[in-house]
C-alpha cells in the first residue's frame, strides 16, 4: 500500500488513527507512537511542482482552458480551470511562458504564497488574462492538497453546511410561451430556480436567439465590416424595458408563485431605465435580477439600492477587489456573481465568500458553459462549506464534456452533489480532450461581444 492509500484509509477513518491509543499522553507521545506519526506524515514532505501543462479543449464547442500541475510524487497531479474563453490563447501563453518557469520546483503545499508571488510576478496586475492563468494553477494546487489529505475539497474548506447546492436552470426562447415551456421542462427535472431570457422582438437579444430581420442580400454595407456607420446586430433598451414586465406577468400567471425566477439584464440599461425596470418587476418577486449595469457604472448601484427592493446580483465581469469590495461592504447587492477564474481562482474566491457573509451577501458564482467542470467543482466545494450560499448556475454538463472531465459533479433533483472523492473528484482524459481541439481562428473567440450596436451605430456594452 503506497503512502497516499495509507493516508486515505487513515483519514477516511478520521485523524485520530494517526495517534495510536495509549493510556497516557506520555504513552501517546512515546517514540513508538511518534514513529507511527512520523511514518504517516513522511509522505507529506515537500512535494514539488514538476511541470505545468495547459490543455485547450472544446468538447461542447466552447473554448475551455485547463491546467494540469504535475508533481514530483508519481501519479499525483492536480487539475485547474483557467477558462477565459474569449482570450484562450493568451492565457495559454501566460501560463506556459511566464507562470510555468516561475513555479517549477515550488512546494505544492504553499498555495497562498504561490498565489501571492504569482500575483506580484508581473508587477502590473489585476487583469483577466493573468488572473485566469493563476486560477488554473491555484485550483489545481487545491485539488492536489485534497488528494494529499485524502479528502474531498469541501472537507478542507470546513465541511458541509448543506447536502447539495441548489442550481438554476436556463430557460430561454423567442416568445413568452416558448420560455414558459422551457421553464416547465426545467421544473419537471426538479429545478426550483429558473433563469428566464426572452428575445426582444426585432432585436439582437442577450440569452435568447435574435429575432432581428436578416439584412437583405445586396443591401448596402452587407459585405463591409460592422462599424458605427454599418451597424448589423441591433439592440435598443427601450423596447426591452417596456416588454419585460409583461413577460414576467405572463410567467407568474402561467407558472405560479412557487418557482424562483431569475433574469440577466447583462449590463444593457441606463441608470433610469434600471430603476424603472426594477420597480416595474418588483410585483413578480424575482429571486434576483442580474447585472443591470456594467462594472464601469458601479456607482449606479448606490442610487438603485435606494429605489428598489428587488434582489440584485452582480459581478461576473469583475476582476479586481476594487470592483467587488464597495458593492459588498455597502450592502448594495444581494448576490456576488464573480467568475472565480477571473479573480485568480479558489484562494481569492473563498476570501470573497467569507467577506460577503459579514455583509449579508450570498454567493451565486458565475457558471455558464465557459466555466469548465473544474471551476464548477471548485465552486461547489465552496458552496457546500460556505454558510452564505445563494444558488449555483447551471444544471447539467453535456455528454462529451462529461467524457473529457471524468467525475463531473452530479445534478439530481436540482441539486449539484459533491463527488465524495479526494480533491475536486475530476480527472481529465487528455487523449479525449485532444479530440476536441478549440476551433482554429480567426475568429479566435465567439464574436458575441463588441459587435452589437444601437440603431445609431453606437456599440453597446455586452
Ligand atoms: C451568465 C453570463 C454568460 C456570459 C458568458 C460570456 O450569466 O451566465 O452572463 O452568459 O455572457 O459567460 O462568455
Ligand atoms: Mg450573466
Amino acid at each position: 500500500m503506497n503512502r497516499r492509500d495509507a493516508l486515505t484509509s487513515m483519514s477516511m477513518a478520521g485523524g485520530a488513527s494517526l495517534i495510536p491509543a495509549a493510556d497516557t499522553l506520555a504513552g501517546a507521545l512515546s517514540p513508538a507512537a511518534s514513529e507511527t506519526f512520523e511514518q504517516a506524515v513522511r509522505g507529506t514532505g515537500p512535494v514539488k511542482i514538476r511541470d505545468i501543462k495547459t490543455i485547450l479543449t472544446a468538447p461542447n464547442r466552447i473554448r475551455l482552458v485547463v491546467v494540469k500541475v504535475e508533481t514530483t510524487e508519481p501519479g499525483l497531479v492536480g487539475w485547474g480551470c483557467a477558462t477565459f474563453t474569449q482570450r484562450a490563447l493568451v492565457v495559454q501563453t501566460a501560463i506556459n511562458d511566464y507562470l510555468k518557469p516561475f513555479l517549477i520546483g515550488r512546494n505544492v503545499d504553499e498555495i497562498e504564497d504561490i498565489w501571492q508571488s504569482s500575483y506580484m510576478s508581473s508587477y502590473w496586475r489585476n487583469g483577466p488574462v493573468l488572473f485566469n492563468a493563476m486560477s488554473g494553477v491555484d485550483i489545481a494546487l487545491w485539488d492536489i492538497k485534497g488528494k494529499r489529505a485524502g479528502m474531498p475539497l469541501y472537507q478542507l474548506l470546513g465541511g458541509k453546511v448543506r447536502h447539495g447546492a441548489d442550481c438554476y436552470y436556463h430557460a430561454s426562447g423567442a416568445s413568452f410561451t416558448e420560455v414558459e415551456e422551457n421553464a416547465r421542462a426545467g421544473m419537471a427535472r426538479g429545478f426550483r430556480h429558473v433563469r428566464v431570457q426572452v428575445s426582444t422582438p426585432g432585436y439582437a437579444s442577450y440569452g435568447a436567439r435574435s429575432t432581428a430581420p436578416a439584412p437583405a442580400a445586396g443591401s448596402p454595407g452587407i459585405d463591409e465590416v460592422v462599424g458605427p456607420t454599418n451597424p448589423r446586430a441591433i439592440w435598443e433598451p427601450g423596447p426591452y424595458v417596456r416588454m419585460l414586465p409583461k413577460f414576467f406577468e405572463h410567467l407568474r400567471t402561467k407558472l405560479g408563485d412557487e418557482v424562483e425566477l431569475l433574469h440577466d439584464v447583462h449590463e444593457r440599461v441606463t441608470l433610469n431605465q434600471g430603476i424603472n425596470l426594477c420597480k416595474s418587476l418588483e410585483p413578480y418577486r424575482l429571486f434576483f435580477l442580474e447585472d443591470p449595469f456594467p462594472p464601469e457604472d458601479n456607482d449606479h448601484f448606490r442610487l438603485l439600492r435606494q429605489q428598489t427592493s428587488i434582489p440584485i446580483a452582480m459581478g461576473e465581469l469583475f476582476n479586481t477587489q476594487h470592483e467587488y469590495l464597495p458593492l459588498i461592504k455597502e450592502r448594495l447587492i444581494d448576490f456576488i456573481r464573480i467568475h472565480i477564474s477571473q479573480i485568480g481562482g479558489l484562494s481569492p474566491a473563498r476570501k470573497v465568500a467569507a467577506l460577503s457573509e459579514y455583509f449579508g451577501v450570498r454567493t451565486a458564482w458565475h457558471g455558464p458553459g465557459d466555466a469548465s467542470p473544474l471551476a464548477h467543482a471548485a465552486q461547489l466545494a465552496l458552496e457546500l462549506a460556505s454558510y452564505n450560499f445563494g444558488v449555483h448556475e447551471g444544471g447539467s454538463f453535456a455528454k462529451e464534456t462529461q467524457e473529457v472531465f471524468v467525475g463531473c459533479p452530479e445534478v439530481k433533483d436540482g441539486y449539484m452533489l459533491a463527488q465524495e472523492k479526494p480533491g475536486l473528484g475530476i480527472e481529465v482524459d487528455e487523449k479525449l480532450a485532444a479530440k476536441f481541439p478549440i476551433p482554429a481562428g480567426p475568429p479566435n473567440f465567439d464574436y458575441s461581444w463588441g459587435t452589437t450596436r444601437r440603431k445609431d451605430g453606437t456599440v453597446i456594452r455586452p
Side-chain angles (χ1 to χ4, degrees):
M1 175 188 274
N2 69 24
R3 177 202 64 76
R4 191 165 331 110
D5 296 344
L7 257 182
T8 312
S9 62
M10 277 197 273
S11 65
M12 290 305 190
S17 64
L18 287 176
I19 305 200
D23 47 18
T24 64
L25 179 58
L29 296 178
S30 68
S34 66
E35 195 177 304
T36 320
F37 185 81
E38 281 313 310
Q39 190 280 334
V41 297
R42 190 166 299 124
T44 59
V47 171
K48 313 273 182 186
I49 295 178
R50 186 172 56 73
D51 195 2
I52 298 177
K53 293 201 170 99
T54 309
I55 297 162
L56 303 183
T57 185
N60 190 24
R61 293 175 307 291
I62 299 175
R63 297 173 174 84
L64 303 176
V65 184
V66 169
V67 169
K68 180 184 186 183
V69 171
E70 296 181 348
T71 76
T72 51
E73 169 123 346
L76 179 60
V77 304
W79 302 98
C81 183
T83 300
F84 179 7
T85 195
Q86 289 83 0
R87 293 292 181 275
L89 301 177
V90 201
V91 174
Q92 181 184 41
T93 302
I95 297 165
N96 293 353
D97 298 355
Y98 296 94
L99 274 188
K100 176 172 163 178
F102 182 69
L103 295 175
I104 294 278
R106 289 294 308 266
N107 176 335
V108 295
D109 284 336
E110 298 166 349
I111 301 179
E112 182 64 20
D113 181 80
I114 285 173
W115 196 93
Q116 295 292 349
S117 53
S118 301
Y119 181 49
M120 309 306 174
S121 69
S122 55
Y123 189 59
W124 278 273
R125 47 194 179 261
N126 283 319
V129 170
L130 299 179
F131 268 158
N132 273 279
M134 288 166 58
S135 166
V137 173
D138 181 73
I139 296 175
L141 292 175
W142 278 102
D143 187 24
I144 289 169
K145 179 85 74 179
K147 287 171 177 171
R148 281 168 59 74
M151 294 179 187
L153 207 46
Y154 70 80
Q155 289 288 20
L156 290 187
L157 298 170
K160 284 181 182 168
V161 295
R162 55 190 58 78
H163 63 81
D166 231 329
C167 293
Y168 68 85
Y169 180 85
H170 281 210
S172 66
S175 68
F176 293 7
T177 312
E178 189 184 344
V179 179
E180 175 202 334
E181 281 152 15
N182 288 335
R184 284 188 197 289
M187 294 158 74
R189 286 175 50 193
F191 291 95
R192 289 158 292 280
H193 300 75
V194 180
R195 183 186 94 159
V196 288
Q197 305 289 138
V198 68
S199 311
T200 306
Y203 290 96
S205 306
Y206 164 72
R209 67 179 176 281
S210 170
T211 53
S219 54
I222 191 150
D223 302 324
E224 279 159 49
V225 176
V226 167
T229 58
N230 182 30
R232 189 91 35 79
I234 304 294
W235 158 263
E236 281 293 331
Y240 164 75
V241 169
R242 291 190 292 276
M243 170 199 71
L244 220 57
K246 300 187 187 95
F247 174 51
F248 278 92
E249 177 65 33
H250 173 91
L251 293 176
R252 277 291 177 222
T253 310
K254 297 290 184 181
L255 300 174
D257 291 337
E258 193 67 28
V259 60
E260 298 281 10
L261 296 176
L262 299 73
H263 180 75
D264 192 344
V265 178
H266 224 255
E267 307 102 11
R268 292 184 174 205
V269 295
T270 64
L271 173 60
N272 308 91
Q273 287 166 339
I275 292 173
N276 294 336
L277 182 61
C278 287
K279 287 176 184 240
S280 66
L281 294 180
E282 279 175 3
Y284 307 108
R285 298 170 308 288
L286 275 66
F287 181 79
F288 72 50
L289 189 77
E290 177 182 345
D291 291 0
F293 310 124
E296 293 80 1
D297 294 330
N298 255 6
D299 290 347
H300 283 355
F301 285 93
R302 271 191 203 91
L303 304 161
L304 179 69
R305 198 59 156 174
Q306 294 156 9
Q307 304 264 351
T308 179
S309 61
I310 210 167
I312 302 288
M314 177 67 183
E316 69 185 52
L317 279 170
F318 289 165
N319 287 110
T320 92
Q321 62 194 70
H322 308 302
E323 294 167 307
Y324 48 81
L325 269 184
L327 297 189
I328 293 172
K329 72 178 167 59
E330 295 173 44
R331 302 171 189 267
L332 300 177
I333 57 173
D334 303 279
F335 297 90
I336 186 73
R337 281 279 291 143
I338 285 172
H339 185 105
I340 70 169
S341 68
Q342 288 289 347
I343 64 166
L346 183 58
S347 292
R350 71 192 181 99
K351 296 172 187 174
V352 172
L355 170 84
S356 300
E357 183 181 329
Y358 291 103
F359 297 96
V361 175
R362 289 183 282 167
T363 67
W365 308 108
H366 188 227
D370 51 307
S372 80
L374 297 161
H376 280 273
Q379 286 161 210
L380 176 63
L382 206 42
E383 292 162 349
L384 292 173
S386 306
Y387 185 67
N388 56 324
F389 164 67
V391 71
H392 185 106
E393 177 175 8
S396 60
F397 299 99
K399 178 174 159 306
E400 297 78 8
T401 303
Q402 294 196 43
E403 288 164 358
V404 170
F405 296 87
V406 181
C408 284
E410 185 197 1
V411 178
K412 203 154 161 261
D413 303 330
Y415 289 108
M416 191 174 278
L417 307 174
Q419 292 283 10
E420 298 298 347
K421 291 187 212 145
L424 287 171
I426 295 179
E427 297 300 320
V428 177
D429 182 329
E430 294 176 75
K431 284 205 185 66
L432 197 53
K435 293 209 170 73
F436 300 98
I438 69 169
N444 287 322
F445 65 103
D446 54 16
Y447 276 35
S448 310
W449 320 111
T451 52
T452 304
R453 293 174 177 272
R454 303 279 306 273
K455 279 183 183 157
D456 69 0
T458 312
V459 71
I460 71 159
R461 286 185 174 139

